[in-house]
């Protein structure tokens, strides 16, 4: 398995996996398949472009031995001065055929490792839908802890999903 930061050249591959994620697990993401399916590759490339040196926002991709993108997660550092001590993990997804093989753990460990290179970063936040037990357990096993709960965090049609807010403290 190869894990690396995605670049603009990966836009089509990223978009294909992202649409698959939105179709397979709509409860796990804030955006919908319908909102995302017609997004131009230029817009997708802009979204995944790493920013900063070292990058303060990036999307990681996990590729299998055949070179197929099988997992992804994003990270960004908050931009407001009073919030720059925080980063956020977003868009975590592993293709069903690659689950249970350590792909998610490897992606998160790489994201955390890269984030700790950012001077002054003290914590990483994320949100997880309460029905995704496997993801929640993965986050807890890597040191994240629950600090809040959002009732009806997302709604699609008549369905609601609650989310837990989690934090990984990098210092103190």
């Amino acid at each position: 398995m190869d894990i690396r930061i995605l670049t603009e050249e990966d836009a089509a591959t990223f978009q294909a996996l992202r649409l698959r994620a939105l179709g397979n697990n709509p409860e796990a993401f804030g955006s919908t398949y319908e909102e995302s399916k017609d997004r131009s590759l230029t817009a997708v490339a802009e979204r995944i472009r790493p920013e900063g040196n070292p990058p303060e926002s990036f999307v990681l991709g996990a590729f299998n031995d055949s070179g197929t993108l099988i997992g992804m997660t994003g990270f960004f550092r908050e931009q407001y001065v009073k919030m720059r001590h925080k980063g956020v993990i977003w868009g975590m997804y592993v293709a069903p055929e690659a689950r249970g093989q350590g792909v998610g753990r490897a992606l998160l460990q790489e994201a955390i490792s890269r984030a700790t290179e950012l001077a002054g970063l003290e914590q990483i936040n994320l949100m997880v839908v309460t029905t995704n037990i496997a993801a929640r357990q993965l986050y807890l096993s890597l040191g994240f802890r629950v600090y809040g709960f959002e009732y009806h965090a997302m709604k699609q049609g008549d369905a609601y999903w609650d989310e837990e807010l989690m934090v990984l403290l990098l210092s103190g």
Side-chain angles (χ1 to χ4, degrees):
M1 177 174 43
D2 178 39
I3 295 178
R4 65 173 173 80
I5 292 179
L6 300 182
T7 66
E8 294 91 339
E9 290 79 31
D10 298 303
T13 303
F14 169 82
Q15 180 69 340
L17 187 61
R18 176 81 175 161
L19 290 175
R20 186 174 174 202
L22 296 172
N24 288 347
N25 298 100
E27 75 286 353
F29 302 94
S31 57
T32 67
Y33 179 89
E34 291 74 22
E35 291 172 313
S36 302
K37 68 181 174 62
D38 296 326
R39 187 167 288 143
S40 73
L41 286 183
T42 302
V44 172
E46 178 102 2
R47 181 176 191 193
I48 67 172
R49 180 180 298 121
E51 295 180 9
N53 187 22
E56 293 191 340
S57 74
F58 54 84
V59 176
L60 292 174
F63 295 83
N64 66 15
D65 293 339
S66 303
T68 302
L69 183 64
I70 57 172
M72 61 189 176
T73 194
F75 172 86
F76 68 87
R77 185 178 197 164
E78 296 284 1
Q79 293 303 302
Y80 291 112
V81 172
K82 294 180 189 177
M83 297 174 68
R84 288 194 46 79
H85 65 291
K86 298 188 289 187
V88 177
I89 295 284
W90 63 272
M92 178 73 182
Y93 181 76
V94 175
E97 66 275 10
R99 293 178 186 165
Q101 301 172 28
V103 176
R105 178 173 298 280
L107 278 166
L108 284 169
Q109 287 173 326
E110 183 66 20
I112 292 165
S113 175
R114 289 177 181 273
T116 60
E117 295 174 11
L118 301 174
L121 193 77
E122 298 175 11
Q123 67 187 60
I124 301 172
N125 296 334
L126 61 79
M127 296 178 291
V128 62
V129 67
T130 57
T131 55
N132 193 338
I133 304 303
R136 183 180 187 279
Q137 290 304 316
L138 173 61
Y139 302 144
L140 290 170
S141 77
L142 289 170
F144 285 86
R145 62 183 188 210
V146 176
Y147 73 90
F149 181 89
E150 185 175 355
Y151 181 73
H152 286 184
M154 293 184 286
K155 178 183 179 184
Q156 187 172 19
D158 292 331
Y160 291 93
W161 295 283
D162 302 331
E163 287 187 326
E164 286 184 327
L165 295 79
M166 302 182 90
V167 63
L168 175 66
L169 298 176
L170 303 175
S171 60

